[in-house]
Amino acid sequence: KKLDKNISLIYRNYKSPLDNSWCDKLVSAAREIEELLAYNALDIEFAIDGQNTIYCLQIRPLVSGNQELSLTDEDFDAEIKKIKDFTTCRFQESPYVLGTTNLLGEMPDWNPVEMIGNSPKPLALSLYQKLITDWAWAEARSRCNYKNVRPEPLMFSLGGKPFIDVRNSFNSLIPSTLSIDLSEKLINYSLEYLRENPEYHDKVEFDVMLNCYDFDFKSKIERLLNSGFKRSETAEIRKCYLRLTNDLIRTGSESINKHLKFFEILQERRNKIYNSKNNEIPWLVNGLLHDCIEYGIIPFSILARYAFIAMILLRTLVKKGVFTNNEYETFLRNVPTVASQFNQDLILFQSGKLNKEDFIDKYGHLRPNSYDICSLNYSLMLEKGIFSNSSQQNYGSDFAGSLMGAREIWESKKVNIRRILKENGFTASTDQLFNFITQTLPAREKGKFEFTKNLNLILEKITSFGSELGFNRENMSYISIEKIIRFATVSPPSVIKSEFERTINYEKKRYALTRSLRLPSLIDSPKDIECFDLLKGKPNFITGKKVNGGVVNLSSSSNPKNLTAKIILIQGADPGYDWIFSKSIAGLITQYGGSGSHMAIRAAEFSIPAAIGCGDIIFNEVRKSQFVELDCGSQTIRTKL
């Protein structure tokens, strides 16, 4: 069947009228049935006729699958109220950023649910905030000549669920040279555009908020003019974004090399900490965190910004007819990254041509969920046989280490590229643009690969710290990073174990509440907390291929032996899942992820048909099926039970 569903979620105590009359009648009927049966966990099948009359067809009790921690209605009601109050504050004007209103989303900018899930435990959530979204993201943007939005953070937690402050994100994508009044007008317009087109919530940098100049900028200007912008205003917007983008391309190679050198400093400092005679783990973790931000996250964030711009420029070259879709895909496949190198090394390791120690030394720090202490790294996964020799395919072996194929395509289009650069006012040359694109994509992946070495060591040190106190990984996942690093400057009390036990027990109950909450993917009003429709996913399809096969639902705790010819399901993916590309998989489907996300880049690099960021409705339907047809050409997903 072709997937097409509408799902609405309504908080039991929601008092306001709903948007349509049949829904109000249905809720009223459900409440009446609950009162008659004196039971409120019901599965009700119903039908509605043309006069909005409700017919109850079947009523069954719902059985909860998890009674480990019971939650009272009072707990849940109080949490909903607190979330609404907190959200209301986020929609008020801020003294630090521009914009008269706001939106909160799971996926815009830095895609937290892809990296830490929509219900992360306290350690993962606090690490993501500490390392990235508290201030490092803003510092990186300002160094790229965008507006400095500090001290506003990028991400907030609503009942333990991560949400991006879209207004703060959009502010950080405004050129520092654009006037204040025009900046605010552009931000308000972009927020309203996303509100009217919520399906773009995971594609804001490509389809919603201007963040660079591209070869299709004229159509974006037309959209602004049709929305009430003056020609003088669009001229200023064009000038500022063109200058920012042109300067980045012209200085690209020099800037990229400068930021890559930070990763060498990061390694030197990590080695010093690793070999330090000071064995106070909170002190070591605090140092690793600082270095990870300064010499890892910030340079990586800058390179990631460059890579987004590179992808936007490439896509608009396709849109303007310079490249065909096939040439675009071939070009990306011929830009080698650490992923293609990993794929080759894994094949060598499995064939006995690379010893275990060397493989672990290079890749042992990776883990399927980079911020989750319970997700084992590659070093530990080796013991579980995840990398055991089975049917593999060395995707990318034909191009790894060479840009020959990409350069051949580029050279064949050089006259048209030179013309389009000149027509748009760029002073950057075609060679500078080629270097910018082909250097930023590998540099971004290199940066992620390097800073996760610090992140892995942080998690392993915290594991050791917990072990000394009698706590396992699961226990420590409930301790926030702040509670650990405070002992870098404060001597631990004699009752630290008791303190941690109380914290763990409290956070377990909080986490049960977090998991029971359902919130919209995009919040455009505090009222959405109590009543909303699940967003229909608009997947980012990679390649134009059509494949079908059985489904393997992958998770960090699973130990699949055979992925050959299977369509792999992953909720959210980061570098730790790159090992799947050493198997002969048929395709890939993820619940979360944008068109510029890690897995989108990987799938394009290896020419694997994929649907990235399907959303809740589609992903949950696929997860229940045994067989899937993934047609990226027609952009459809069909399932069979």
Side-chain angles (χ1 to χ4, degrees):
K1 63 179 180 179
K2 185 177 178 180
L3 302 179
D4 189 15
K5 273 189 177 182
N6 292 310
I7 298 178
S8 299
L9 285 87
I10 304 168
Y11 171 47
R12 178 184 303 282
N13 293 333
Y14 186 60
K15 300 295 192 296
S16 302
L18 301 169
D19 291 337
N20 53 61
S21 58
W22 72 262
C23 221
D24 280 314
K25 287 184 178 181
L26 178 61
V27 170
S28 178
R31 286 172 174 160
E32 183 179 349
I33 292 169
E34 289 175 351
E35 189 173 339
L36 288 170
L37 297 179
Y39 192 76
N40 62 13
L42 299 171
D43 177 8
I44 304 172
E45 289 186 17
F46 61 92
I48 304 170
D49 65 17
Q51 287 70 48
N52 285 341
T53 303
I54 306 292
Y55 298 89
C56 287
L57 307 178
Q58 190 171 207
I59 302 170
R60 294 187 296 264
L62 284 173
V63 179
S64 173
N66 182 12
Q67 301 294 334
E68 183 180 349
L69 287 171
S70 59
L71 298 170
T72 66
D73 288 346
E74 289 75 14
D75 287 334
F76 198 84
D77 294 344
E79 190 69 18
I80 291 291
K81 183 180 185 308
K82 287 294 184 183
I83 292 173
K84 276 192 71 176
D85 292 344
F86 185 85
T87 303
T88 299
C89 293
R90 302 284 76 76
F91 276 78
Q92 295 172 357
E93 293 189 40
S94 165
Y96 304 110
V97 294
L98 306 170
T100 55
T101 185
N102 203 356
L103 293 167
L104 300 175
E106 289 183 323
M107 287 296 293
D109 209 348
W110 278 96
N111 304 354
V113 295
E114 182 184 13
M115 299 307 300
I116 56 176
N118 67 356
S119 299
K121 291 177 182 173
L123 178 59
L125 177 67
S126 61
L127 268 173
Y128 204 70
Q129 289 176 309
K130 182 79 174 176
L131 287 172
I132 297 169
T133 63
D134 280 352
W135 67 272
W137 70 283
E139 177 63 23
R141 297 271 167 89
S142 67
R143 294 186 191 182
C144 294
N145 295 321
Y146 290 101
K147 176 180 169 59
N148 192 334
V149 300
R150 295 180 65 181
E152 284 285 8
L154 180 63
M155 189 176 80
F156 293 95
S157 168
L158 303 182
K161 295 181 178 291
F163 277 83
I164 294 297
D165 187 304
V166 181
R167 178 172 58 189
N168 295 350
S169 167
F170 285 5
N171 269 261
S172 73
L173 295 172
I174 292 284
S176 59
T177 54
L178 192 63
S179 65
I180 297 296
D181 290 344
L182 188 49
S183 295
E184 180 151 48
K185 186 173 182 178
L186 182 58
I187 288 165
N188 283 334
Y189 159 77
S190 301
L191 289 168
E192 185 58 30
Y193 185 82
L194 180 56
R195 180 175 283 109
E196 293 174 356
N197 300 275
E199 67 273 16
Y200 292 141
H201 75 112
D202 62 346
K203 307 172 181 67
V204 293
E205 290 170 285
F206 292 98
D207 297 310
V208 180
M209 181 62 196
L210 295 178
N211 57 93
C212 69
Y213 188 95
D214 62 52
F215 303 122
D216 191 41
F217 209 76
K218 184 178 179 180
S219 69
K220 297 175 174 63
I221 291 297
E222 289 297 322
R223 200 170 75 189
L224 294 178
L225 289 170
N226 293 335
S227 301
F229 282 75
K230 300 175 183 176
R231 289 201 177 274
S232 59
E233 292 175 327
T234 58
E236 183 183 344
I237 290 171
R238 181 186 184 281
K239 177 182 176 182
C240 290
Y241 277 109
L242 176 59
R243 182 190 302 166
L244 182 146
T245 309
N246 188 60
D247 289 348
L248 288 180
I249 296 171
R250 284 172 59 89
T251 62
S253 294
E254 179 184 348
S255 180
I256 292 165
N257 290 332
K258 180 182 76 173
H259 290 104
L260 287 173
K261 289 185 185 302
F262 282 113
F263 304 134
E264 297 175 9
I265 299 173
L266 180 65
Q267 180 176 339
E268 292 172 2
R269 294 176 69 91
R270 183 172 58 249
N271 289 340
K272 287 181 180 179
I273 290 179
Y274 190 79
N275 296 319
S276 173
K277 294 181 180 180
N278 187 332
N279 59 1
E280 288 293 324
I281 291 179
W283 178 84
L284 295 171
V285 168
N286 192 51
L288 288 165
L289 278 169
H290 170 271
D291 289 350
C292 191
I293 293 171
E294 188 65 36
Y295 305 106
I297 297 292
I298 292 176
F300 161 73
S301 302
I302 292 169
L303 294 170
R305 178 96 293 273
Y306 293 177
F308 265 107
I309 293 172
M311 291 297 296
I312 291 170
L313 291 169
L314 267 179
R315 290 183 183 192
T316 52
L317 283 174
V318 175
K319 193 167 187 178
K320 302 309 288 186
V322 176
F323 292 142
T324 65
N325 285 323
N326 184 59
E327 287 169 335
Y328 167 78
E329 293 172 8
T330 304
F331 184 93
L332 288 179
R333 287 201 304 272
N334 283 273
V335 180
T337 69
V338 292
S340 48
Q341 183 60 57
F342 165 76
N343 186 56
Q344 291 186 82
D345 285 344
L346 181 54
I347 299 299
L348 291 174
F349 167 68
Q350 291 172 327
S351 62
K353 297 177 182 178
L354 179 66
N355 65 52
K356 181 178 179 180
E357 291 72 23
D358 289 341
F359 181 81
I360 289 176
D361 184 59
K362 291 179 71 173
Y363 304 109
H365 67 284
L366 296 173
R367 65 183 75 220
N369 298 289
S370 294
Y371 297 82
D372 183 2
I373 196 171
C374 296
S375 177
L376 302 183
N377 61 26
Y378 279 17
S379 178
L380 296 170
M381 286 170 67
L382 274 172
E383 300 173 9
K384 293 182 173 290
I386 290 292
F387 302 134
S388 60
N389 193 10
S390 61
S391 176
Q392 322 91 5
Q393 176 177 335
N394 192 358
Y395 299 113
S397 62
D398 56 334
F399 62 83
S402 172
L403 282 175
M404 186 76 69
R407 187 172 291 280
E408 286 177 357
I409 293 173
W410 191 267
E411 290 295 327
S412 71
K413 308 291 183 177
K414 203 166 185 177
V415 173
N416 287 335
I417 296 170
R418 184 182 295 114
R419 172 184 54 79
I420 204 169
L421 281 169
K422 185 177 180 180
E423 288 176 352
N424 283 275
F426 283 90
T427 60
S429 69
T430 56
D431 286 341
Q432 286 173 327
L433 180 57
F434 176 81
N435 291 335
F436 179 77
I437 293 171
T438 57
Q439 289 174 12
T440 56
L441 298 179
R444 181 182 83 157
E445 300 310 308
K446 172 70 172 176
K448 190 181 298 182
F449 184 80
E450 292 299 327
F451 87 70
T452 51
K453 292 179 181 178
N454 267 53
L455 179 55
N456 170 69
L457 192 51
I458 288 167
L459 292 175
E460 294 309 306
K461 290 292 183 185
I462 291 173
T463 300
S464 298
F465 187 55
S467 181
E468 291 175 2
L469 296 171
F471 301 117
N472 59 21
R473 288 178 183 266
E474 173 71 14
N475 294 146
M476 295 304 291
S477 70
Y478 293 100
I479 303 292
S480 71
I481 191 64
E482 289 82 9
K483 290 185 180 295
I484 294 169
I485 62 173
R486 92 182 153 99
F487 296 122
T489 55
V490 175
S491 61
S494 59
V495 293
I496 182 175
K497 182 174 182 178
S498 299
E499 280 190 13
F500 273 27
E501 284 176 342
R502 285 194 297 271
T503 297
I504 291 166
N505 290 333
Y506 169 77
E507 292 295 349
K508 281 185 176 180
K509 182 174 181 179
R510 284 281 306 159
Y511 186 65
L513 190 54
T514 297
R515 294 196 65 183
S516 70
L517 286 168
R518 293 295 299 272
L519 296 176
S521 296
L522 187 70
I523 300 171
D524 69 8
S525 164
K527 291 191 299 183
D528 289 350
I529 302 300
E530 296 181 335
C531 177
F532 61 94
D533 295 334
L534 285 185
L535 275 182
K536 284 188 176 181
K538 190 174 182 181
N540 303 282
F541 289 94
I542 310 298
T543 80
K545 298 178 181 179
K546 178 180 177 180
V547 295
N548 53 63
V551 174
V552 174
N553 185 11
L554 208 59
S555 70
S556 60
S557 60
S558 63
N559 187 13
K561 295 290 185 180
N562 185 13
L563 305 185
T564 302
K566 297 295 195 298
I567 293 177
I568 309 303
L569 305 187
I570 306 175
Q571 187 178 50
D574 59 30
Y577 280 105
D578 281 353
W579 61 271
I580 66 173
F581 296 112
S582 70
K583 313 293 182 178
S584 298
I585 66 173
L588 174 66
I589 296 175
T590 75
Q591 184 173 2
Y592 304 117
S595 55
S597 66
H598 179 85
M599 275 298 166
I601 300 294
R602 295 284 70 70
E605 181 179 354
F606 297 136
S607 194
I608 303 295
I612 305 297
C614 292
D616 295 345
I617 297 175
I618 294 176
F619 191 81
N620 288 331
E621 284 296 311
V622 172
R623 186 160 47 188
K624 291 184 291 186
S625 67
Q626 295 180 350
F627 187 88
V628 169
E629 178 188 271
L630 174 59
D631 189 343
C632 297
S634 64
Q635 301 198 345
T636 58
I637 302 172
R638 290 182 171 85
T639 64
K640 292 181 181 179
L641 295 178

